[in-house]
Amino acid sequence: MENTLLDIKNLKVWYRTYKGYAKVVDGINLFVNKGEKVGLVGESGCGKTTTMKTVLRVLDSKVATVPEGEILFKNRDILKMKYNELQQVRKQSISMISQEPTAALNPVFTVGSQIMDIIRYSEQYKDYSKSEMLSLAVKTIKDVLIPDPERILNSYPHQLSGGMKQRICIAMALVTPRELLIADEPGTALDVTVQDQIHKLLKALVEEKKMSLIMITHSLGVARELSDRIYVMYAGNIVEVAQTKELFKNPLHPYTLGLMECVPRLYGGGISEGIYGYIPDYINPPAGCRFYPRCPSAMEICEKEKPPTVSVSEDHKVACFKYH
Amino acid sequence: MNTEILKVKNLKTYFAINKSSGKKQYVRAVDGVSFSIKEGEIMGLVGESGSGKSTIAYTIMGMYRPTEGEIIFNFNGKSIVTKSNKRSLEFKKNVQIVFQDPGSSLNPYHDVRQILSLPLRVHKIVPKDKIEEKIAEILEMVELPASFMYKTPTSIGGGEKQLVSIARALCSNPKFIILDEPTSSLDVSIQAKIINMLLKIHREQKLTYLFITHDLSLMRNISTKVAIMYLGKICEIAPTEIFYKSPLHPYTQMLLSSIPVISEEEEALKPKKVVSTGEIPSPVNVPKGCSFHTRCIQCMDICRTEDPVIHQVSEDHFVRCHLYKS
């Protein structure tokens, strides 16, 4: 276990609502090794972002509660950390890229001052002079392949295009050395050609800096391109995990299969029927397997009992009674 | 079957900006687009954001006044020319649109019954006392239960909202429907469901679709003809089979190569050695010459100075690029 950077154990996250608790994340187990790129795939509302926001503890504690679970970052539980320790992790160890670059940047400060803030408050460059910090910022902007970095540093976010803004967000996440990068659908708000560039850039930078990456996405194609291992999430549960190649060669869980059939293929052949039904209500989720009401191969036991995760091969785990 | 239902000739839609500063500038959102759609076709109009694909849709619908050009509809041998925003009731009955965001295109204060009864009343599809019956029938067509009638848009999910918008478009028995990215804000499993529904209705009602999207792999599966747009102009237009077998325009190749795919077979279909670079420039300052030359890997000297005209490379395959000048 020396090699494990982040280890989430049986994490549950509930949101308070006026109807009762919405049990959004329902006991997930997930780990990331050092230097590994992990994909977390699922449809909207399945709890991917909630999980990752819990890792950084940025969810509003008045609304979200964690009734159970551990998030071990380098063997220390993030959920039990004191404020100062937590800030240390946020400043120096984990960074996050959000889905919407426009919302992530502050519109009233220049890009340069926002990047400089990160360098200053990371406390890793205490003995740097201002000009040294500035040259570090320029270097980072060059790393994300933006021409004319000096001009960019003096511009405001609204003067930049969507792709540029997302590049700036990546630069901000990578400007100080970190161990883990959480990327929350960084390409979703962008055009396909720009998305492709951003993903390639992200992959190259993460590999160069030997960081670990958690790539949150709803697209199996993106996960296939960017990750070594993929977790498939449905309604707050990890339903399947496998090495990328293995998952696409041999998908097992009915949800993974359904999801793969839904993706329109480049060689044509029409569109599949889709998955029957909709994502369940989190306040009163199905008692057994949460996928049971939509599952084409549901059995009697699925309605009553939650399927445990079983290993089908060394790295391939699936939570389904079919493989019991 | 082979009659042209819509013919667009040299359509231009410009928007004036900076009016107050005295220097009048134009955003050339649509700049000389010509195409035609035959009855029963599903034409895919593909492009990045800012390429003018939605502007074309809105101009055809009469929501924008075209700066230049003609839009000719042909229903049962009768042609309707849409001039500015005076559209006849007959036109409105035959041409319908489904918008991208169902959340903002459905009135949140009306229930589904009110939303669907308006077009039925306006076009006098059924007598007043039969409206509810007809609504139930239309809801059934999009596979929603009749009890949906009493729900409001705020209480239903995104996919269901989009189904209601489709039902609303179907109310007036149209012949031509414009689908403006109907599934781009939805998950793939719901997208598959809605696309199947649209294809089923297309077969049953003998409709013609203009499908606007940015998803080329989706178009591969449903369209009969694909047109690629870049900065207000069509770059390449061809029947689906030919289009995906031999994409010619460098921009088409770039688009195809950037699609994230999920299998090796698909990976093999993507054009090789094409790396996507740059972003779509602002339509206010369109580059001189070919508007794509700033991002093109096969850019030649002529591209910087001269705007290419559209060339015919095979029977139905047209490309606007200097590389294919005969």
Side-chain angles (χ1 to χ4, degrees):
Chain A
M1 277 296 161
E2 275 292 284
N3 212 8
T4 311
L5 186 65
L6 181 76
D7 195 358
I8 300 177
K9 284 183 181 159
N10 192 29
L11 179 74
K12 294 188 178 176
V13 185
W14 294 0
Y15 286 113
R16 276 190 199 96
T17 71
Y18 67 94
K19 281 185 195 160
Y21 282 107
K23 300 161 193 81
V24 174
V25 177
D26 187 35
I28 72 163
N29 292 294
L30 184 152
F31 68 90
V32 184
N33 287 332
K34 277 179 192 149
E36 194 184 28
K37 299 189 289 294
V38 167
L40 184 59
V41 182
E43 291 182 285
S44 45
C46 75
K48 329 182 271 294
T49 306
T50 299
T51 309
M52 286 309 138
K53 284 195 170 162
T54 316
V55 170
L56 279 174
R57 274 173 62 186
V58 286
L59 288 172
D60 187 349
S61 58
K62 288 191 199 96
V63 183
T65 54
V66 183
E68 229 181 296
E70 281 181 322
I71 301 172
L72 298 176
F73 182 74
K74 295 206 267 183
N75 292 323
R76 283 158 68 220
D77 193 347
I78 289 182
L79 293 172
K80 291 199 184 96
M81 276 182 190
K82 295 214 174 66
Y83 184 72
N84 283 347
E85 287 176 286
L86 178 66
Q87 282 298 73
Q88 212 59 26
V89 170
R90 287 175 180 167
K91 280 175 190 168
Q92 300 183 351
S93 304
I94 307 179
S95 55
M96 189 162 181
I97 301 172
S98 81
Q99 187 176 136
E100 191 57 69
T102 316
L105 294 169
N106 192 332
V108 298
F109 292 104
T110 59
V111 167
S113 73
Q114 295 185 50
I115 294 182
M116 294 292 276
D117 276 353
I118 293 181
I119 300 174
R120 209 172 299 135
Y121 291 109
S122 79
E123 290 167 15
Q124 281 160 307
Y125 296 95
K126 270 182 189 157
D127 45 349
Y128 267 47
S129 68
K130 207 174 173 191
S131 62
E132 277 174 313
M133 284 187 188
L134 192 68
S135 62
L136 181 68
V138 169
K139 190 189 155 287
T140 327
I141 301 267
K142 273 189 189 148
D143 279 350
V144 292
L145 308 177
I146 297 179
D148 199 2
E150 281 85 3
R151 182 179 63 84
I152 298 293
L153 283 177
N154 287 321
S155 8
Y156 289 90
H158 72 265
Q159 294 170 313
L160 307 171
S161 66
M164 282 288 207
K165 274 186 262 191
Q166 197 56 284
R167 277 168 207 259
I168 298 288
C169 288
I170 294 178
M172 284 166 79
L174 300 176
V175 62
T176 58
R178 311 265 179 145
E179 284 149 291
L180 175 66
L181 175 64
I182 300 171
D184 187 359
E185 312 209 22
T188 311
L190 307 168
D191 280 317
V192 267
T193 54
V194 184
Q195 177 182 327
D196 188 40
Q197 295 167 37
I198 294 285
H199 286 162
K200 284 194 177 126
L201 175 71
L202 196 60
K203 193 178 175 187
L205 287 174
V206 165
E207 278 170 5
E208 185 196 310
K209 297 188 191 252
K210 299 193 174 62
M211 293 167 77
S212 304
L213 171 73
I214 300 179
M215 181 77 193
I216 306 177
T217 174
H218 63 263
S219 154
L220 281 166
V222 171
R224 178 175 172 273
E225 265 174 23
L226 281 174
S227 41
D228 306 327
R229 207 153 49 88
I230 294 178
Y231 286 90
V232 182
M233 198 166 174
Y234 176 77
N237 294 119
I238 298 285
V239 293
E240 187 165 3
V241 51
Q243 298 285 336
T244 305
K245 263 195 186 154
E246 164 75 7
L247 185 76
F248 285 98
K249 207 167 69 188
N250 185 22
L252 293 176
H253 197 279
Y255 177 67
T256 319
L257 288 164
L259 203 58
M260 281 190 187
E261 272 174 23
C262 288
V263 179
R265 301 300 183 99
L266 205 49
Y267 47 69
I271 299 269
S272 82
E273 288 283 300
I275 305 173
Y276 166 82
Y278 296 96
I279 213 156
D281 173 21
Y282 284 116
I283 293 163
N284 295 305
C289 174
R290 285 191 170 183
F291 189 57
Y292 160 77
R294 302 175 73 182
C295 186
S297 45
M299 296 176 286
E300 231 171 85
I301 187 168
C302 307
E303 193 183 351
K304 293 168 208 130
E305 265 180 69
K306 222 173 144 63
T309 309
V310 286
S311 301
V312 276
S313 64
E314 197 190 335
D315 277 328
H316 197 162
K317 294 195 180 93
V318 61
C320 181
F321 283 115
K322 250 171 90 183
Y323 304 98
H324 235 245
Chain B
M1 201 48 191
N2 269 339
T3 48
E4 279 171 358
I5 194 163
L6 169 69
K7 208 172 165 70
V8 173
K9 275 193 222 159
N10 194 27
L11 181 72
K12 289 181 183 175
T13 308
Y14 294 178
F15 299 106
I17 52 164
N18 284 349
K19 273 183 196 158
S20 54
S21 67
K23 269 193 297 176
K24 222 175 182 186
Q25 268 183 308
Y26 289 97
V27 174
R28 281 176 257 170
V30 180
D31 199 7
V33 165
S34 306
F35 61 89
S36 63
I37 304 179
K38 286 180 189 142
E39 217 175 307
E41 264 191 322
I42 300 178
M43 176 163 148
L45 193 58
V46 185
E48 291 179 283
S49 48
S51 62
K53 38 192 205 312
S54 290
T55 310
I56 289 190
Y58 296 166
T59 313
I60 292 173
M61 285 302 293
M63 289 154 73
Y64 295 140
R65 192 190 293 261
T67 313
E68 217 183 292
E70 272 182 286
I71 302 161
I72 305 162
F73 273 101
N74 185 7
F75 298 118
N76 302 329
K78 205 165 141 196
S79 43
I80 304 174
V81 182
T82 47
K83 262 192 191 152
S84 68
N85 18 16
K86 280 204 169 166
R87 300 167 297 153
S88 65
L89 201 59
E90 192 192 358
F91 171 85
K92 289 179 195 167
K93 181 181 176 303
N94 280 319
V95 183
Q96 287 289 332
I97 185 164
V98 175
F99 294 99
Q100 178 178 0
D101 179 11
S104 57
S105 64
L106 298 173
N107 188 339
Y109 298 108
H110 283 185
D111 60 18
V112 173
R113 184 181 55 88
Q114 282 169 303
I115 289 169
L116 297 184
S117 65
L118 183 68
L120 293 175
R121 276 189 284 124
V122 169
H123 297 292
K124 301 191 180 69
I125 305 291
V126 285
K128 264 190 189 151
D129 52 328
K130 294 233 170 94
I131 280 184
E132 293 216 351
E133 246 171 72
K134 180 73 185 170
I135 289 175
E137 194 185 301
I138 289 165
L139 283 176
E140 199 189 317
M141 219 186 314
V142 294
E143 290 167 21
L144 287 175
S147 61
F148 244 77
M149 236 185 268
Y150 306 105
K151 294 197 178 191
T152 54
T154 43
S155 65
I156 58 181
E160 289 156 340
K161 268 188 238 176
Q162 198 56 285
L163 288 174
V164 172
S165 328
I166 293 168
R168 176 176 61 183
L170 291 171
C171 277
S172 62
N173 297 327
K175 293 206 169 63
F176 185 84
I177 299 184
I178 297 174
L179 301 157
D180 185 7
E181 310 210 32
T183 56
S184 64
S185 60
L186 305 171
D187 279 319
V188 276
S189 68
I190 297 165
Q191 164 174 297
K193 226 179 285 178
I194 289 185
I195 295 293
N196 273 305
M197 161 99 46
L198 285 169
L199 291 179
K200 192 192 83 190
I201 295 167
H202 177 260
R203 274 195 308 273
E204 285 171 1
Q205 312 276 317
K206 297 190 177 59
L207 294 171
T208 310
Y209 286 160
L210 173 62
F211 202 116
I212 294 170
T213 178
H214 57 259
D215 189 344
L216 271 172
S217 37
L218 178 63
M219 277 304 108
R220 174 70 184 92
N221 292 285
I222 64 171
S223 65
T224 54
K225 191 174 170 186
V226 182
I228 299 282
M229 279 201 76
Y230 189 74
L231 282 176
K233 287 174 183 161
I234 287 181
C235 300
E236 185 163 5
I237 184 163
T240 308
E241 287 294 322
I242 300 171
F243 183 89
Y244 286 90
K245 211 190 271 170
S246 56
L248 293 178
H249 198 285
Y251 179 56
T252 314
Q253 293 175 357
M254 188 193 273
L255 275 179
L256 281 170
S257 74
S258 14
I259 302 174
V261 294
I262 64 165
S263 67
E264 292 296 327
E265 293 101 298
E266 288 172 275
E267 205 76 67
L269 289 172
K270 297 207 290 194
K272 306 286 167 326
K273 292 178 202 149
V274 183
V275 185
S276 37
T277 48
E279 276 181 69
I280 192 162
S282 147
V284 185
N285 291 311
V286 176
K288 258 196 191 132
C290 172
S291 54
F292 185 61
H293 86 257
T294 49
R295 297 170 70 184
C296 185
I297 44 164
Q298 301 181 59
C299 178
M300 302 176 291
D301 283 340
I302 186 171
C303 306
R304 292 193 186 89
T305 51
E306 208 179 301
D307 196 15
V309 287
I310 206 144
H311 303 293
Q312 189 169 19
V313 279
S314 66
E315 205 198 329
D316 292 316
H317 196 165
F318 295 88
V319 184
R320 202 174 57 80
C321 180
H322 286 302
L323 284 172
Y324 303 99
K325 201 150 75 175
S326 47

